[in-house]
């Protein structure tokens, strides 16, 4: 978005430490996958795991959205005329949809696929892929830790990372807090203005440096953006006001002002401390 690009301009390009822990938006990862490389759900599960841990061999957190009904987004789906197809995943040999991107429009598919993955990955055959990496997967209210111990694939429930948040965007912060004490850098693999704004609001509370890994290699747009550097440039007061500003000027749940955009309002916000204070107070109440 224009707001994201404007914020990105505030800092020089740089890269995080090699092999830093990665926190990945699960739905973003699924949309990166090609639709014709996996013919069965077993092959799809293997492909997703390989793709997920390719970012780091120390720790990867993969977080999926949680879906509840009724949802505030139902009216938007109805407006778009989205047809909800039901999916049932019965096993590894079942053929998966040829068009993965089309299937991802279905809430049923996204729910059942994430549940299938956390039950499939506990099997021993995946130990050779995971090896020394610790994989934490947030699905529905739960979080599961996958790891290999004495060449045996293990899975355990992690109660401290349980969450009832619907959006992976906000659940990311819980995982950041869990990673923070053991790492100097944390990389968030996502490409969403919402999550960038949330990270800017929280990142100065962490000792680790926060990065976003955005874009895709196939389009030559993949790059790292240091969120901590942006936050230090903007200052704590402005960062605290950004969530309310983003919601007020248009986001997933509120309509934007016609032909106003976000860049000029951002410039006005930067010049007015009183508006920053008002917006930051709204964000604090929401938190």
């Amino acid at each position: 978005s224009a707001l994201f690009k404007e914020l990105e301009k505030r800092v020089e390009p740089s890269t995080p430490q090699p092999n830093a822990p990665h926190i990945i938006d699960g739905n973003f990862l699924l949309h990166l996958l090609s639709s014709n490389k996996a013919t069965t759900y077993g092959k799809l599960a293997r492909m997703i795991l390989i793709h997920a841990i390719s970012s780091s061999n120390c720790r990867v957190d993969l977080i999926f959205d949680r879906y509840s009904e009724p949802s505030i987004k139902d009216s938007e789906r109805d407006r778009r005329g989205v047809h909800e197809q039901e999916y049932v995943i019965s096993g590894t040999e079942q053929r998966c949809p040829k068009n993965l991107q089309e299937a991802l429009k279905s809430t049923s598919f996204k729910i059942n696929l994430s549940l299938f993955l956390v039950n499939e990955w506990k099997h021993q055959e995946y130990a050779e892929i995971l090896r020394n990496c610790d994989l934490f997967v947030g699905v529905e209210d739960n979080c599961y830790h996958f790891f290999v111990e004495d060449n045996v694939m293990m899975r355990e429930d992690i109660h401290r990372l349980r969450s009832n948040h619907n959006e992976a965007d906000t659940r990311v912060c819980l995982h950041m807090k869990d990673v923070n004490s053991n790492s100097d850098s944390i990389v968030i693999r996502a490409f969403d203005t919402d999550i960038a704004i949330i990270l800017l609001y929280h990142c100065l509370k962490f000792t680790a440096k926060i990065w976003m890994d955005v874009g895709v290699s196939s389009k030559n747009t993949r790059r790292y953006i240091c969120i901590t550097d942006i936050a230090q440039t903007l200052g704590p007061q402005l960062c605290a006001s950004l969530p309310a500003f983003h919601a007020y000027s248009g986001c997933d749940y509120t309509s934007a002002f016609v032909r106003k955009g976000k860049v000029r309002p951002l410039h006005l916000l930067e010049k007015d401390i009183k508006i920053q204070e008002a917006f930051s107070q709204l964000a604090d109440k929401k938190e």
Side-chain angles (χ1 to χ4, degrees):
S1 73
L3 177 60
F4 192 94
K5 292 178 181 177
E6 176 64 24
L7 293 172
E8 185 180 351
K9 292 178 185 176
R10 307 300 176 91
V11 295
E12 295 295 325
S14 55
T15 55
Q17 294 178 349
N19 204 34
H22 275 58
I23 301 175
I24 304 173
D25 182 330
N27 286 347
F28 177 76
L29 175 66
L30 294 177
H31 278 93
L32 293 177
L33 300 176
S34 299
S35 58
N36 59 353
K37 287 189 176 180
T39 54
T40 66
Y41 280 106
K43 291 180 180 179
L44 181 61
R46 189 178 184 87
M47 183 171 70
I48 293 171
L49 181 59
I50 292 171
H51 201 93
I53 67 170
S54 64
S55 302
S56 173
N57 59 21
C58 65
R59 172 167 175 167
V60 172
D61 293 50
L62 182 63
I63 308 171
F64 292 96
D65 286 345
R66 176 181 177 274
Y67 298 93
S68 57
E69 294 182 352
S71 168
I72 196 170
K73 292 185 176 181
D74 287 344
S75 59
E76 176 64 15
R77 295 190 186 106
D78 292 340
R79 187 185 69 80
R80 294 179 182 177
V82 175
H83 174 66
E84 181 64 34
Q85 181 178 343
E86 292 295 323
Y87 286 85
V88 176
I89 302 177
S90 58
T92 57
E93 296 305 314
Q94 180 183 347
R95 296 189 69 83
C96 61
K98 292 182 179 179
N99 191 332
L100 187 59
Q101 304 307 314
E102 187 65 29
L104 286 170
K105 295 178 181 179
S106 167
T107 300
S108 171
F109 177 76
K110 289 183 284 190
I111 291 173
N112 284 287
L113 178 60
S114 60
L115 292 174
F116 167 75
L117 292 175
V118 292
N119 284 303
E120 175 63 15
W121 286 341
K122 65 183 179 182
H123 295 140
Q124 182 60 27
E125 64 188 279
Y126 296 97
E128 62 173 323
I129 300 175
L130 193 61
R131 297 184 181 181
N132 296 323
C133 183
D134 287 287
L135 176 66
F136 293 80
V137 185
V139 173
E140 295 296 300
D141 291 344
N142 304 307
C143 182
Y144 302 97
H145 176 203
F146 295 85
F147 60 100
V148 178
E149 186 175 277
D150 297 328
N151 295 320
V152 177
M153 190 69 178
M154 309 289 289
R155 188 190 82 172
E156 63 178 354
D157 293 355
I158 305 299
H159 295 287
R160 69 178 183 274
L161 292 177
R162 287 177 60 88
S163 174
N164 62 358
H165 283 215
N166 283 346
E167 298 284 344
D169 292 0
T170 54
R171 195 166 179 169
V172 160
C173 296
L174 176 62
H175 288 251
M176 283 170 51
K177 183 178 180 181
D178 195 61
V179 178
N180 182 60
S181 59
N182 298 314
S183 180
D184 295 328
S185 299
I186 304 172
V187 180
I188 314 300
R189 180 71 170 123
F191 191 36
D192 190 297
T193 301
D194 291 351
I195 196 168
I197 296 300
I198 293 168
L199 293 178
L200 284 168
Y201 179 80
H202 287 287
C203 72
L204 293 178
K205 304 171 187 175
F206 294 96
T207 57
K209 210 164 189 177
I210 310 301
W211 306 75
M212 280 188 72
D213 177 0
V214 304
V216 293
S217 300
S218 61
K219 296 182 179 179
N220 200 30
T221 58
R222 192 166 182 180
R223 62 204 184 277
Y224 292 103
I225 302 169
C226 187
I227 298 298
T228 302
D229 286 352
I230 295 176
Q232 290 172 345
T233 300
L234 298 178
Q237 180 69 67
L238 184 55
C239 287
S241 69
L242 285 177
F245 164 78
H246 182 46
Y248 183 78
S249 56
C251 64
D252 284 351
Y253 304 104
T254 55
S255 300
F257 294 105
V258 179
R259 293 189 293 275
K260 295 298 181 183
K262 285 180 175 283
V263 175
R264 186 167 180 271
L266 175 65
H267 293 161
L268 295 174
L269 177 67
E270 290 181 282
K271 297 175 182 178
D272 197 318
I273 296 296
K274 290 185 178 180
I275 298 179
Q276 290 180 31
E277 291 174 348
F279 276 141
S280 62
Q281 289 172 5
L282 288 173
D284 290 339
K285 289 178 181 180
K286 184 65 176 176
E287 187 183 24

